[in-house]
Amino acid sequence: MAVSPTLLTGGGYLSIIARVPPPLAERIVKWRREHGMVGAVAESCHITLLIARDTAGEGKLVQLEAALAGHGAVEVVLGEPESFQPASPVTYLPLARGADCFRYLHSRCVEVLGKSESPFSYEPHLTLAHGLEEAALARSLRDFAGLDAQLAGFTIDQLQVNRYTGETWHHLADVSLR
């Protein structure tokens, strides 16, 4: 299993994510399983807005809801597969449409919850593969090229807030963008 450069052992974190529609998630999860990805990293298909240290009380969640409410739904169109290599063994689908909205939402989340714990600059994306051998990473770039428009385009109108306790993620709340 791939080791996260963001989640340190023993740390508590909050994540703000946007889940992708089931047909796309099912295709990606199936591909990941077929190529050796296992566990939570293989099962979750989402676009991350922020992972921050969990110093937030319930009041912070109310502030986050207020900061994001009324933004409106985000129309997403995924671009052609890319890689973060050599910085990280990750392949992904960038946001060809909706990236600026995600960057804005990311900045609002940072204002409320604090700085990102990721060692990388924020780049809105949907991870395809993480921590696999070079051949599988290269294959993901080929297998997801030319993704069908019905899978590549979707609307995000809700975000999820999750808490990581050092062992697993727990869903805390849904935040509407409407």
Side-chain angles (χ1 to χ4, degrees):
M1 176 170 31
V3 176
S4 170
T6 304
L7 305 176
L8 302 177
T9 304
Y13 300 89
L14 288 178
S15 72
I16 315 303
I17 64 170
R19 293 245 180 245
V20 301
L24 177 58
E26 290 163 8
R27 177 166 176 201
I28 293 171
V29 168
K30 180 179 184 231
W31 188 96
R32 289 173 178 171
R33 287 179 186 154
E34 289 171 353
H35 292 86
M37 286 182 67
V38 296
V41 70
E43 301 297 320
S44 182
C45 289
H46 61 270
I47 301 166
T48 301
L49 278 113
L50 178 69
I51 296 178
R53 283 282 179 181
D54 185 5
T55 57
E58 294 306 312
K60 288 286 186 180
L61 290 178
V62 171
Q63 290 177 13
L64 183 66
E65 288 174 339
L68 301 180
H71 176 276
V74 179
E75 296 299 322
V76 171
V77 175
L78 300 170
E80 290 298 308
E82 297 182 21
S83 176
F84 286 129
Q85 292 176 292
S88 182
V90 171
T91 59
Y92 65 95
L93 296 169
L95 275 62
R97 183 182 317 150
D100 288 343
C101 288
F102 268 79
R103 286 185 189 97
Y104 172 77
L105 293 169
H106 167 81
S107 70
R108 297 293 290 152
C109 291
V110 168
E111 288 172 16
V112 175
L113 298 176
K115 73 177 184 74
S116 172
E117 289 299 313
S118 174
F120 306 109
S121 297
Y122 182 67
E123 184 60 39
H125 68 279
L126 172 58
T127 297
L128 293 172
H130 180 204
L132 295 177
E133 293 181 13
E134 182 65 36
L137 291 173
R139 175 122 191 195
S140 71
L141 295 172
R142 290 189 307 272
D143 289 351
F144 287 92
L147 191 62
D148 184 272
Q150 291 180 339
L151 292 177
F154 50 89
T155 301
I156 298 292
D157 62 3
Q158 177 175 283
L159 304 176
Q160 290 186 342
V161 181
N162 298 291
R163 175 174 280 142
Y164 183 72
T165 60
E167 295 179 21
T168 188
W169 289 100
H170 301 281
H171 180 260
L172 290 181
D174 293 321
V175 176
S176 175
L177 294 176
R178 295 196 186 267

